[in-house]
């Protein structure tokens, strides 16, 4: 068994604790301010894998359900999120539109798959998947490139502008996207990286 012990500083009041490998994967709180330093192993992993699965399902809805309905006199149509991103792009803007699709769809999906790949075996009581450590590291490294929330800000601005010209209605994919942004924020805020890494390193199943 690889022994992983180390120090954790409380992010709120700066007390430093030295934890053994066993303590790293249990639920611990700061004795001075009560901040939750580490989640229990099963709770941390269940939460991450559950939220990653939720993100994947929501992304499926985003891709295949209508994103916006437009009704401008004779033109009446529904548009998917891909139509919305690519529809307004011409000439030099086309590569940019594809980049937007990568940042709002491909990267978030890849992160979910990497997290599930790295952590689901732990949840099921199996040994680590091949390259689980690299997968988890990539999931964290890709985080700044997942920009769904920035896209939603852009869509909100566009909706306000379009509202004067056409009747715009939001579709199921729009609301799935809103939920996705909330789920991802929750995922990133409450992810206990320390517990995840220690669990991977000490998995002997
Ligand atoms: Zn504290």
């Amino acid at each position: 068994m690889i022994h992983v012990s180390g120090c954790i500083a409380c992010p709120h009041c700066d007390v430093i604790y030295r934890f053994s490998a066993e303590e790293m994967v249990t639920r611990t709180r700061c004795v001075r301010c009560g901040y939750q330093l580490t989640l229990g192993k099963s709770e941390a992993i269940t939460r991450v894998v559950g939220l990653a699965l939720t993100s994947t399902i929501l992304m499926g809805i985003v891709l295949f359900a209508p994103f916006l309905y437009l009704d401008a006199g004779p033109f009446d149509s529904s548009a998917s999120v891909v139509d919305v991103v690519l529809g307004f792009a011409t000439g030099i803007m086309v590569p940019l539109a594809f980049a937007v699709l990568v940042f709002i769809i491909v990267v978030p999906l890849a992160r979910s798959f990497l997290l599930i790949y790295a952590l689901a075996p732990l949840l099921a009581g199996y040994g680590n998947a091949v390259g689980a450590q690299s997968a988890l590291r990539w999931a964290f490294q890709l985080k700044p490139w997942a920009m769904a929330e920035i896209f939603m800000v852009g869509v909100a601005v566009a909706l306000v502008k379009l509202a004067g010209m056409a009747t715009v209605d939001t579709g199921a994919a729009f609301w799935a996207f809103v939920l996705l942004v909330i789920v991802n924020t929750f995922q990133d805020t409450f992810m206990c990286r320390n517990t995840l890494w220690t669990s991977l390193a000490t998995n002997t199943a």
Side-chain angles (χ1 to χ4, degrees), residues 10-15 17 30-35 37:
C10 173
H12 281 275
C13 72
D14 292 343
V15 180
Y17 296 90
C30 175
V31 288
R32 186 155 77 177
C33 73
Y35 178 81
L37 294 168

Side-chain angles (χ1 to χ4, degrees), residues 32-57:
R32 186 155 77 177
C33 73
Y35 178 81
Q36 185 152 10
L37 294 168
T38 54
L39 281 174
K41 177 180 170 178
S42 60
E43 187 181 343
I45 297 170
T46 309
R47 189 184 278 179
V48 171
V49 173
L51 289 176
L53 280 173
T54 311
S55 299
T56 309
I57 293 165

Side-chain angles (χ1 to χ4, degrees), residues 58-59 61-62 67 81 104-105 147-149 151-152 172-182:
L58 287 172
M59 193 57 92
I61 300 173
V62 167
F67 190 75
V81 70
I104 67 169
I105 292 167
M147 302 182 182
E149 61 277 16
F151 175 70
M152 284 315 274
F174 179 90
W175 296 107
F177 216 109
V178 171
L179 271 179
L180 192 71
V181 170
I182 295 169

